[in-house]
Amino acid sequence: MEKRPVDKFLRIEAVAMTFQTRNGSFAALRDIDLTVKKGEFVTLIGHSGCGKSTLLNLVAGLLKPTEGLLICAEREIAGPGPERAVVFQNHSLLPWLSCFDNVHLAVERVFGATEKKADLKRRTQAALALVGLMHAEHKMPHEISGGMKQRVGIARALSMQPRVLLLDEPFGALDALTRAHLQDELLKIVAATGSTVVMVTHDVDEAVLLSDRIVMLTNGPAATIGEVLTVELPRPRDRIELEEDARYHHHRAAVLEFLYRRQMRQAA
Amino acid sequence: MTSAIATLRPFAVNLEPEVAAANEPATRSPAAGPVATLDARAAEVVAAKAVAIAERARLRRGRARAIVLALLPPLLGFALFISAWGLFSQTTGSLPSPAKTWTSAVDLFSHPFYQKGPNDQGIGWNILSSLRRGGIGFGFAALVGLPLGFVFGRFAFANAMASPIISLLRPVSPLAWLPIGLMAFKAANPAAIWVIFISSIWPMIINTAVGVQRVPQDYLNVARVLNLSEWKIMTRILFPAVLPYTLTGVRLSLGVAWLVIVAAEMLTGGVGIGFWVWDEWNNLNVEHIIVAIFVVGIVGLLLEQLLLLLARRFNYD
Ligand SMILES: Nc1ncnc2c1ncn2[C@@H]1O[C@H](COP(=O)(O)OP(=O)(O)OP(=O)(O)O)[C@@H](O)[C@H]1O
Ligand SMILES: [Mg+2]
C-alpha cells in the first residue's frame, strides 16, 4: 500500500525531548535519528534513566517531541492509537477489570465494529492462551503475580494486531524461565505476523536474541544514539544453538563493551 | 497454627516465646529415632502428642485472652462513663440517672410506632421521618454534587471558576441557609431538606473532583493508546477509578446530613427526631432527650459503618 519503500516504515527525524519541570527544563533526548523497516525488530538499550521509555512514548504518540518529527507509515505521529500498541513498563492493567475484561477492552475497540461478539470473545481467549493464562481469565489483577500481570499486558497488546508493537521492558518483572518462554513466544508471533517491533530492554542477552538491530543510547541527560549494532544471526533463532555461535558472543561483547566501558554509569 | 500466632501477635506479644518453646520437642523427636528402641520412640510420640495438645489448649486460652484484652478497654470506658454520669446526676439532681433513662428507653422502644395525632408519635416514626428527610436532601445533593465534581475534576477551567465560590460557601454554618429555604419554599419541610442539601453537597463535590484529578496517568495512557471513546473512558476508567474517592465524599456528606438534621428539625418542627427532642424539652422530659441523643449517635454510627462496608467492596488493592 505504501508508495515509499517499506524500509522507511517508521522514521524518527532529528527528535529532541525537553521536559518542563518545576526546577526548570530538563533535556532528556537530543538529535535522535532512526529509521525502522517494516517487520524489523529493534531494541533500545541503555542505562536506567537515559530516556528509553521517553523515546518509546514518543513513538507511541503519548509524548510530543519538542523538536523534530516522527513518521509512521507515511503519516506524522500526532497522537497514540491502537495501530501502535504499547506494553507498559508497569503493566498498567485496570484493577477493576478481570484479566479477560482487560484484554477484551482492547479487542472490542479494534474489532468491535466489524466482528460478532463471539469472535471478540474468541480473540480475547486466544490472546490469553498465547501467554499461557487461559486458566486466569476470570482473576482480578490483584489476585495474580507480577509476572502474570505483565503477561496480561502483553496479551492485551498482541490482541490488537498492531502494525507496530512497542514494548517497554516487557519481561523485566519475570523469572528467568517464564522470560525465556515468552521471548520464544514473541519470536514466533513476530515471525508469524511480520509485526514491526520496538522494544526497550536492560538485558543484553535478550537484545541479541531478539533483535535485528540494537540501538544503544548514551547516558542522560540529553541522551542520544551512541551506536547501532546490526545483529547478523539467521532466523529462526534457537537460544541453545546460539550459545555455540561465535557471532552471538561477538555481538554480546560489543553491547557489553558499549554499556560498561564507554557508558560507564557514574555513581549517583 | 502460624496464622493463629499471627493474629495473636498484635494483642499479646508475650505469648510468642511460650509457643516457640512448646514447638521444640515435637520437631526434634524424629532425630532421636535411630538410637532409641521402639518402645522409647512410641513413648516419645505419645509425649509429643501430649505437648501438641497442651500447646493447642494454650493457644486457645491465648485467643480467649486476646478477645478479652480487646474488649476490656471499651467496656471499661463505658462503665466509667456511666458511673460518672450516675455520680453527676446524684450530686446535682438535675440530670436523670442512667437507670431512670434506661427504663424510659425500654418504655419508649416497646411502642415505637404508636400514633396519637400529628404531634405525638412513637420514636420509630420520628427516626424514620428524620431518615427520610435526610435521605431526600442527601439524595438531591448526590444527584447534583457528583456530576459537578466530575466536571470540576475533568476541566481545569471550570474548577478554577468554581473553587473560590466553593471555598466561600463551604464554611457557612448550615442553619444560616434556613431563612433562604423558608423564603424560597415558603414551607418548613422543604426548607429543612434544603438545609441538608446545601450543607452535605460540598464533600461530594470536592472528593469527586480530587478523585478525577488523581486518576493515575497510566490508566489514562491505556485509554489514549486504545483510543477509547469518551463514553468508554467515563464508564471503564474514570468512574471506577474515582469511585473510592466518591464513596469517601458520600460518607462524609451523610455524616454532615445526619449532623444537620437534628438542628434543622428543631427549628422547623413536624415529625422527626430533632423536633421530638425540642418537644420533650418543652415537656421537661430530660430522660427522653438523653435517649434521643443516644439514638442519634447510634443511627449515625450505623450509617457510617454501612458506607465503610460499601467502600471496602470497591477497594481494588
Ligand atoms: N514527565 C517527565 N517530566 C520530567 N522529566 C521526565 C519525565 N519523564 C521522564 N523524565 C526524565 O527523563 C529521563 C529519562 O526517563 P525515562 O523514563 O525515559 O528513562 P528510562 O531509560 O526508561 O529509564 P528506566 O530504564 O529506569 O525505565 C529521566 O531522567 C527522567 O527523570
Ligand atoms: Mg523506562
Side-chain angles (χ1 to χ4, degrees):
Chain A
M1 260 199 5
E2 280 86 43
K3 291 177 207 93
R4 296 283 195 88
V6 289
D7 53 319
K8 285 192 174 177
F9 183 64
L10 177 66
R11 289 159 59 190
I12 302 172
E13 308 271 5
V15 160
M17 185 72 212
T18 303
F19 290 108
Q20 296 306 326
T21 67
R22 221 165 292 168
N23 314 320
S25 59
F26 176 83
L29 295 172
R30 66 176 169 90
D31 303 325
I32 305 280
D33 285 287
L34 185 68
T35 308
V36 179
K37 292 199 221 39
K38 196 171 167 75
E40 194 176 16
F41 198 125
V42 171
T43 49
L44 307 175
I45 200 165
H47 287 292
S48 180
C50 71
K52 305 180 294 293
S53 297
T54 304
L55 184 52
L56 200 78
N57 287 343
L58 284 165
V59 177
L62 290 168
L63 291 174
K64 283 213 166 55
T66 37
E67 277 172 46
L69 190 65
L70 292 108
I71 297 168
C72 179
E74 297 303 310
R75 288 177 49 201
E76 184 179 351
I77 295 174
E83 79 281 0
R84 274 167 285 120
V86 185
V87 176
F88 294 94
Q89 189 164 3
N90 52 359
H91 66 74
S92 295
L93 297 183
L94 302 175
W96 44 84
L97 296 183
S98 67
C99 296
F100 180 92
D101 287 334
N102 263 290
V103 178
H104 194 262
L105 188 67
V107 171
E108 199 180 27
R109 174 65 190 84
V110 179
F111 302 103
T114 53
E115 291 185 9
K116 286 199 292 282
K117 277 216 170 89
D119 292 330
L120 300 180
K121 187 173 176 201
R122 197 180 36 73
R123 274 185 189 277
T124 306
Q125 285 171 337
L128 283 169
L130 209 57
V131 294
L133 280 181
M134 266 312 279
H135 62 283
E137 62 172 328
H138 297 302
K139 290 225 164 86
M140 301 304 280
H142 69 90
E143 296 171 324
I144 61 179
S145 71
M148 288 162 85
K149 283 185 205 143
Q150 197 63 12
R151 279 147 73 189
V152 178
I154 295 169
R156 176 170 65 186
L158 289 175
S159 72
M160 296 153 75
Q161 300 202 334
R163 307 175 74 152
V164 183
L165 190 56
L166 303 172
L167 304 152
D168 196 346
E169 297 189 38
F171 309 134
L174 305 183
D175 63 280
L177 283 176
T178 315
R179 178 194 306 220
H181 170 69
L182 281 177
Q183 285 167 347
D184 293 342
E185 285 300 326
L186 185 63
L187 277 176
K188 274 190 226 151
I189 292 161
V190 169
T193 57
S195 324
T196 309
V197 184
V198 180
M199 172 167 153
V200 170
T201 182
H202 271 131
D203 182 338
V204 178
D205 296 286
E206 179 171 278
V208 179
L209 174 70
L210 298 176
S211 329
D212 295 311
R213 276 190 299 154
I214 301 174
V215 174
M216 294 173 250
L217 295 178
T218 62
N219 284 346
T224 189
I225 295 174
E227 203 173 302
V228 179
L229 177 78
T230 304
V231 179
E232 281 150 357
L233 292 169
R235 289 178 190 271
R237 294 177 188 164
D238 179 288
R239 66 177 64 245
I240 296 169
E241 281 167 24
L242 282 183
E243 280 300 327
E244 320 268 287
D245 195 319
R247 284 170 300 178
Y248 173 78
H249 293 286
H250 182 75
H251 289 322
R252 260 187 102 237
V255 180
L256 286 171
E257 150 89 18
F258 177 87
L259 286 178
Y260 298 105
R261 282 262 162 71
R262 312 232 313 265
Q263 296 294 323
M264 249 317 273
R265 207 162 146 60
Q266 275 93 27
Chain B
M1 201 174 77
T2 46
S3 70
I5 293 171
T7 50
L8 280 178
R9 193 168 288 145
F11 302 107
V13 183
N14 57 343
L15 270 180
E16 229 182 309
E18 225 177 297
V19 170
N23 252 334
E24 267 175 23
T27 49
R28 277 198 190 152
S29 57
V35 270
T37 65
L38 264 181
D39 271 357
R41 271 176 65 194
E44 216 173 278
V45 167
V46 170
K49 198 171 168 195
V51 168
I53 288 170
E55 180 198 328
R56 229 171 292 149
R58 201 172 325 178
L59 264 179
R60 222 182 353 255
R61 247 176 290 138
R63 207 169 307 155
R65 210 165 96 189
I67 291 169
V68 168
L69 279 181
L71 285 180
L72 194 63
L75 286 178
L76 205 66
F78 266 112
L80 261 176
F81 174 74
I82 288 172
S83 358
W85 168 13
L87 205 71
F88 186 76
S89 75
Q90 234 164 23
T91 47
T92 62
S94 57
L95 200 69
S97 71
K100 240 175 107 188
T101 309
W102 175 253
T103 17
S104 77
V106 169
D107 189 39
L108 271 174
F109 278 96
S110 50
H111 310 284
F113 292 110
Y114 76 85
Q115 245 173 341
K116 289 185 205 152
N119 281 341
D120 189 9
Q121 302 191 2
I123 187 150
W125 288 122
N126 282 295
I127 294 172
L128 281 183
S129 53
S130 285
L131 277 175
R132 203 172 69 99
R133 201 170 283 132
I136 294 172
F138 167 79
F140 275 121
L143 232 55
V144 176
L146 298 183
L148 273 182
F150 251 87
V151 170
F152 296 157
R154 193 117 171 88
F155 305 104
F157 189 84
N159 193 25
M161 263 171 59
S163 68
I165 300 175
I166 293 177
S167 319
L168 185 82
L169 295 185
R170 197 168 59 107
V172 172
S173 165
L175 292 186
W177 295 103
L178 189 62
I180 308 258
L182 285 170
M183 195 181 72
F185 300 106
K186 311 219 173 351
N189 194 38
I193 292 174
W194 151 257
V195 169
I196 292 159
F197 166 85
I198 197 73
S199 43
S200 69
I201 197 170
W202 311 115
M204 286 195 274
I205 295 183
I206 293 167
N207 276 277
T208 305
V210 166
V212 172
Q213 284 161 355
R214 296 224 184 126
V215 173
Q217 189 59 42
D218 290 348
Y219 302 158
L220 296 176
N221 279 347
V222 170
R224 288 173 66 200
V225 167
L226 295 183
N227 215 341
L228 295 178
S229 61
E230 262 307 306
W231 172 247
K232 273 270 150 92
I233 292 180
M234 271 288 180
T235 55
R236 290 303 178 85
I237 295 185
L238 284 184
F239 204 73
V242 172
L243 198 58
Y245 290 89
T246 297
L247 281 177
T248 304
V250 166
R251 187 161 54 84
L252 294 175
S253 283
L254 205 61
V256 171
W258 191 243
L259 210 64
V260 168
I261 199 158
V262 175
E265 284 174 349
M266 275 188 172
L267 292 178
T268 60
V271 183
I273 195 81
F275 169 69
W276 191 74
V277 168
W278 195 246
D279 206 35
E280 296 304 314
W281 168 241
N282 287 333
N283 299 340
L284 279 177
N285 192 339
V286 186
E287 290 103 79
H288 283 186
I289 295 177
I290 296 175
V291 171
I293 287 172
F294 276 106
V295 165
V296 169
I298 289 167
V299 172
L301 193 73
L302 288 179
L303 289 175
E304 164 121 349
Q305 289 304 313
L306 205 73
L307 272 157
L308 279 177
L309 213 69
L310 198 69
R312 211 162 305 146
R313 163 75 184 72
F314 290 103
N315 190 359
Y316 308 110
D317 309 322

